[in-house]
Amino acid sequence: MLRVVSWNINGIRRPLQGVANQEPSNCAAVAVGRILDELDADIVCLQETKVTRDALTEPLAIVEGYNSYFSFSRNRSGYSGVATFCKDNATPVAAEEGLSGLFATQNGDVGCYGNMDEFTQEELRALDSEGRALLTQHKIRTWEGKEKTLTLINVYCPHADPGRPERLVFKMRFYRLLQIRAEALLAAGSHVIILGDLNTAHRPIDHWDAVNLECFEEDPGRKWMDSLLSNLGCQSASHVGPFIDSYRCFQPKQEGAFTCWSAVTGARHLNYGSRLDYVLGDRTLVIDTFQASFLLPEVMGSDHCPVGAVLSVSSVPAKQCPPLCTRFLPEFAGTQLKILRFLVPLEQSPVLEQSTLQHNNQTRVQTCQNKAQVRSTRPQPSQVGSSRGQKHLKSYFQPSPSCPQASPDIELPSLPLMSALMTPKTPEEKAVAKVVKGQAKTSEAKDEKELRTSFWKSVLAGPLRTPLCGGHREPCVMRTVKKPGPNLGRRFYMCARPRGPPTDPSSRCNFFLWSRPS
């Protein structure tokens, strides 16, 4: 049996945060090893790894018992990226990054690109520069003993942002390139499996709120999937595509079979999501060899869950890994020169060591002679500045003779005292002035006391009370607007419960309240 699993991991380094009590150098290897052991598959395809080549570490890329292959985003750091881990008993015979062939090395590539004349070179490079596709080609043996070729296309398809129409065009062009390459491989005689995050919920049964979505069936991505996939329940030839959705082949009417949920709204608690991850196989392969297709919603660690399939074939491992394997990268293969290489002393022959030692001794003797000569020609401290001694720190604090000093005998002219001018002349005026002065002091003390009291009350009062939502009368949660616009950065209160169907009373209510600025 051959077991393949696909998972949008939403950052391959994120699961490392949950690994504790491990050495830093061994932490990555332990975490990735745990993930692969938990998925228990011969071939594991990961999407959205969010790692670039400069950030890829050896423990993360090379796991004992597996050979791995990575495709990186060349435009942005921490964005996109896919990776495929194959057990040693399922080592591929070829591996290739991208769909267009522009990144092919002509050595160990998969080949079979089809007719791509409708794309420009710049467009092909842009489609493959985000690290969204990785191909591995394997030899398999059927239960009849026949050896065949199987090509796995690990894809992370683009997301169509409603606010950026150009991304929808990019997504549809990526779909078109993917279909051309897959059909070319089929035409060359290879079986093909397309697995990964396709970023489209195909049928209304695959989306939690398809009824309320406007023009659900008219979405370009869904129309593309209609043309790619065969509808097993329809006998019309117009619905026969080259591939089959393996999960719907085994579970055609299973509701709530979702693979992606919003992590911000906590929608996974109430299974309020959509099915974006697929294992698509060519018609002959699915009908003849697929034994099961499954979802793993119990596996946590991402906003997606793993999906997979089991085939009644055995893998025929290649004798050597393809050149794209990460263990052949210069930084991991030991062929890349590092700075430490230039700081470690090299071993020298005895003759060379003796000549070097003699040269060092001669240099040391010459240096000592030069120092002695410099000391003999240097003037002694008694000869330097004999007429002018070295100044002490105290000399800078003595009065300078150039500054005239005031004589104690000189009398300064006396000025009339202001107190005498302000003194009241009569006892009544004295009493009134005393009363006014006392009232002023009392008023100042009172104002100061009130000011201090109000200050400490504002400090110690704490934050404002959290409002209660209208639907459940429970404390709300505060959120911040992140969407560009006039309200960017403003805070608001909303129901703290997870998002769910509107008919479910345990799901989030529609309470909303802007937070007052503090």
Side-chain angles (χ1 to χ4, degrees):
M1 293 293 182
L2 179 69
R3 178 183 169 97
V4 296
V5 170
S6 170
W7 188 19
N8 182 322
I9 200 171
N10 193 20
I12 194 171
R13 290 173 291 183
R14 286 189 62 207
L16 305 186
Q17 300 173 1
V19 181
N21 302 324
Q22 299 289 345
E23 294 294 331
S25 60
N26 195 34
C27 178
V30 171
V32 176
R34 284 184 185 177
I35 293 173
L36 298 177
D37 291 342
E38 185 175 2
L39 297 179
D40 189 26
D42 299 293
I43 303 173
V44 177
C45 298
L46 304 178
Q47 300 87 41
E48 206 172 356
T49 56
K50 295 183 179 180
V51 63
T52 50
R53 180 168 175 176
D54 60 330
L56 185 66
T57 60
E58 185 171 351
L60 197 65
I62 301 178
V63 181
E64 185 178 358
Y66 292 83
N67 48 89
S68 62
Y69 309 84
F70 279 76
S71 178
F72 311 100
S73 173
R74 288 165 167 78
N75 299 329
R76 293 170 55 184
S77 178
Y79 175 74
S80 188
V82 293
T84 300
F85 287 81
C86 304
K87 280 187 176 180
D88 290 340
N89 60 2
T91 301
V93 295
E96 184 180 331
E97 182 182 5
L99 297 171
S100 65
L102 293 181
F103 299 145
T105 60
Q106 306 299 326
N107 183 17
D109 296 324
V110 176
C112 304
Y113 301 102
N115 186 3
M116 299 182 182
D117 293 341
E118 61 186 271
F119 297 90
T120 64
Q121 290 294 309
E122 292 76 11
E123 191 176 11
L124 290 174
R125 186 169 296 277
L127 291 171
D128 272 347
S129 293
E130 293 188 357
R132 295 185 176 274
L134 188 64
L135 285 74
T136 55
Q137 195 167 72
H138 306 259
K139 292 295 183 180
I140 58 174
R141 184 177 290 111
T142 64
W143 63 274
E144 299 171 345
K146 296 181 180 179
E147 191 170 302
K148 297 184 177 181
T149 302
L150 172 63
T151 304
L152 269 72
I153 307 180
N154 177 8
V155 291
Y156 173 46
C157 296
H159 170 68
D161 189 347
R164 299 174 60 189
E166 69 276 6
R167 291 302 293 178
L168 177 59
V169 177
F170 186 88
K171 177 179 181 177
M172 298 311 300
R173 297 299 283 170
F174 186 88
Y175 278 159
R176 177 60 182 158
L177 182 61
L178 172 62
Q179 184 172 359
I180 291 175
R181 185 70 189 273
E183 291 177 350
L185 288 165
L186 285 175
S190 172
H191 289 296
V192 178
I193 293 179
I194 302 174
L195 71 169
D197 181 2
L198 298 187
N199 251 319
T200 296
H202 185 207
R203 299 292 186 193
I205 195 176
D206 299 321
H207 198 284
W208 56 266
D209 200 20
V211 178
N212 297 323
L213 291 180
E214 186 178 356
C215 302
F216 182 86
E217 300 287 352
E218 301 302 319
D219 180 79
R222 295 183 178 93
K223 286 189 173 182
W224 173 79
M225 293 191 71
D226 289 339
S227 65
L228 182 72
L229 301 178
S230 294
N231 189 345
L232 298 180
C234 182
Q235 301 300 325
S236 174
S238 60
H239 288 80
V240 178
F243 289 89
I244 293 177
D245 180 355
S246 64
Y247 184 79
R248 287 302 173 199
C249 180
F250 290 92
Q251 305 289 343
K253 298 182 179 180
Q254 179 64 48
E255 297 182 356
F258 303 140
T259 65
C260 180
W261 306 264
S262 173
V264 176
T265 61
R268 191 167 188 170
H269 296 283
L270 298 176
N271 194 26
Y272 202 56
S274 56
R275 191 168 72 98
L276 306 180
D277 305 84
Y278 300 84
V279 179
L280 311 178
D282 66 82
R283 289 176 55 85
T284 304
L285 185 69
V286 172
I287 295 173
D288 293 344
T289 65
F290 271 56
Q291 297 296 305
S293 185
F294 54 86
L295 313 180
L296 299 175
E298 69 277 3
V299 178
M300 309 300 287
S302 172
D303 56 343
H304 291 247
C305 78
V307 300
V310 178
L311 289 71
S312 60
V313 297
S314 60
S315 177
V316 180
K319 295 181 179 181
Q320 186 177 3
C321 297
L324 189 64
C325 183
T326 52
R327 68 178 59 175
F328 296 137
L329 294 178
E331 55 265 38
F332 302 145
T335 58
Q336 183 180 28
L337 293 179
K338 300 181 180 180
I339 192 171
L340 293 177
R341 174 68 173 79
F342 300 95
L343 301 179
V344 176
L346 299 176
E347 295 183 359
Q348 299 179 353
S349 61
V351 177
L352 183 59
E353 290 181 357
Q354 185 177 1
S355 61
T356 303
L357 182 61
Q358 293 177 357
H359 177 72
N360 292 340
N361 292 336
Q362 293 177 0
T363 305
R364 191 179 297 109
V365 172
Q366 184 67 27
T367 303
C368 294
Q369 293 177 356
N370 293 340
K371 288 184 178 180
Q373 184 177 1
V374 170
R375 290 196 193 97
S376 61
T377 58
R378 184 180 301 169
Q380 298 297 324
S382 58
Q383 300 174 358
V384 178
S386 57
S387 60
R388 183 184 59 179
Q390 184 177 7
K391 290 187 177 182
H392 296 280
L393 184 62
K394 292 182 179 180
S395 63
Y396 294 95
F397 295 95
Q398 296 177 357
S400 176
S402 60
C403 297
Q405 297 182 1
S407 174
D409 299 335
I410 299 178
E411 294 183 2
L412 297 176
S414 60
L415 298 175
L417 297 178
M418 295 300 296
S419 60
L421 297 177
M422 299 299 295
T423 304
K425 295 180 180 180
T426 61
E428 292 79 5
E429 292 177 349
K430 286 184 178 181
V432 172
K434 186 174 182 181
V435 172
V436 172
K437 188 176 181 180
Q439 290 178 353
K441 289 184 177 180
T442 304
S443 178
E444 290 178 1
K446 186 177 180 181
D447 293 342
E448 185 178 358
K449 183 178 180 181
E450 290 180 354
L451 183 62
R452 290 180 179 178
T453 302
S454 62
F455 169 74
W456 286 112
K457 281 185 177 180
S458 64
V459 172
L460 300 178
L464 299 176
R465 290 186 59 185
T466 303
L468 304 180
C469 68
H472 310 97
R473 306 304 299 169
E474 297 176 352
C476 294
V477 63
M478 179 181 286
R479 301 292 187 193
T480 304
V481 179
K482 298 182 179 180
K483 184 177 180 180
N487 293 321
L488 179 64
R490 289 189 65 183
R491 296 185 177 184
F492 60 92
Y493 292 99
M494 62 185 302
C495 180
R497 292 200 177 191
R499 191 177 183 182
T503 56
D504 189 349
S506 63
S507 64
R508 172 186 300 171
C509 64
N510 58 355
F511 179 83
F512 178 88
L513 178 66
W514 286 113
S515 174
R516 291 180 298 175
S518 56

